[in-house]
Amino acid sequence: MDNWLEWLGYLASLIVLISLLMSSIIKLRWISLIGSLLFSLYGFLIGALPVGLMNLCICFINIYFLFKIYNYKEYFKILPIKKHSLYYDYFLDFYKDEIKKFSESEFSIEDSDVAFYILRNMVPAGIFMSTKLNDDTLKINLDFVVPEYRDFKIAKYVFDKNKEYFTDKGFYNLVSFSSNEQHIKYLLKMGFELDSIEDEKCYMKSL
């Protein structure tokens, strides 16, 4: 029994440690909630009431902030990227290492047919760049969100709530060519489906 409790304490400590490594606030809160819940259970089981009660309070704090996050009304806005923009150059340079993890395509503002920033509460939180593949299809070259805002809200805004931005320009399909497993999971979650163009595997979403 004592050995089992000891391992429960180790597990709770590890989960809390992992939560501190999260760049996403939502992930941090959820993982911290699990860790503090296990720590609270551990504290009560070993008779350490201060440990149990303190971590139970942390559980309620995490629940409170998660409730606020999921119920907070946020402001989203699409801002077209202007060519020869200094901010565009600064943005790409600052996030160049992160962007390399997600983009396998070549992209430039000069070659882009549809390119914009996504503002979240007036903060530039993402960037989208695409080129015309055919009359009604856009090829996504870059769909990047800064680490602090990777909770899928921006993607849902762009691909679902604001699809008219694309259809008003005559584009009814979005396509992405990717072999990155993490990126593929993201595309599938956003409603893209496995397809092929000229025998090349791709992921397509109809708007």
Side-chain angles (χ1 to χ4, degrees):
M1 181 66 176
D2 290 340
N3 189 54
W4 178 82
L5 287 175
E6 186 176 345
W7 280 106
L8 177 63
Y10 288 140
L11 177 61
S13 300
L14 178 62
I15 293 175
V16 171
L17 177 63
I18 291 173
S19 74
L20 299 176
L21 299 175
M22 296 295 105
S23 58
S24 166
I25 296 298
I26 289 184
K27 288 182 180 179
L28 185 152
R29 288 291 178 188
W30 273 112
I31 297 174
S32 176
L33 174 60
I34 296 170
S36 56
L37 187 62
L38 289 177
F39 245 131
S40 179
L41 176 62
Y42 170 74
F44 287 126
L45 287 175
I46 66 173
L49 291 182
V51 174
L53 290 173
M54 183 188 71
N55 281 279
L56 186 60
C57 289
I58 294 174
C59 286
F60 286 120
I61 291 171
N62 281 314
I63 291 171
Y64 169 75
F65 280 105
L66 282 168
F67 179 82
K68 285 190 65 175
I69 289 171
Y70 283 110
N71 289 275
Y72 176 67
K73 185 173 178 59
E74 295 187 284
Y75 174 81
F76 294 89
K77 181 70 175 178
I78 281 177
L79 181 66
I81 301 174
K82 293 183 179 180
K83 295 182 179 180
H84 312 298
S85 164
L86 282 177
Y87 181 79
Y88 168 78
D89 294 333
Y90 292 150
F91 187 97
L92 292 188
D93 183 63
F94 187 83
Y95 291 108
K96 59 185 177 183
D97 292 333
E98 281 288 319
I99 289 173
K100 288 178 182 178
K101 299 177 185 178
F102 296 93
S103 177
E104 300 171 2
S105 302
E106 295 294 327
F107 60 87
S108 70
I109 186 61
E110 287 77 14
D111 296 331
S112 295
D113 294 298
V114 177
F116 52 79
Y117 302 109
I118 307 98
L119 305 184
R120 183 167 175 175
N121 299 324
M122 296 308 296
V123 176
I127 188 171
F128 180 96
M129 301 179 69
S130 60
T131 51
K132 182 178 178 180
L133 188 64
N134 55 47
D135 290 341
D136 65 355
T137 303
L138 275 177
K139 175 180 176 286
I140 300 173
N141 297 318
L142 179 63
D143 173 21
F144 174 76
V145 174
V146 301
E148 295 85 349
Y149 294 104
R150 289 177 189 164
D151 55 5
F152 300 105
K153 287 185 178 181
I154 288 177
K156 289 176 181 177
Y157 169 75
V158 172
F159 297 133
D160 296 327
K161 297 180 180 179
N162 207 44
K163 61 179 68 176
E164 292 80 10
Y165 186 87
F166 301 104
T167 57
D168 288 347
K169 298 178 186 298
F171 298 109
Y172 295 90
N173 300 293
L174 299 173
V175 64
S176 178
F177 296 87
S178 180
S179 58
N180 182 300
E181 288 296 326
Q182 186 177 358
H183 188 217
I184 290 171
K185 288 180 181 179
Y186 159 77
L187 292 171
L188 295 175
K189 186 176 180 67
M190 289 302 103
F192 285 74
E193 297 180 350
L194 180 62
D195 207 326
S196 64
I197 296 177
E198 296 180 354
D199 296 327
E200 185 176 359
K201 187 172 76 172
C202 65
Y203 294 86
M204 186 173 292
K205 181 179 177 70
S206 298
L207 302 173

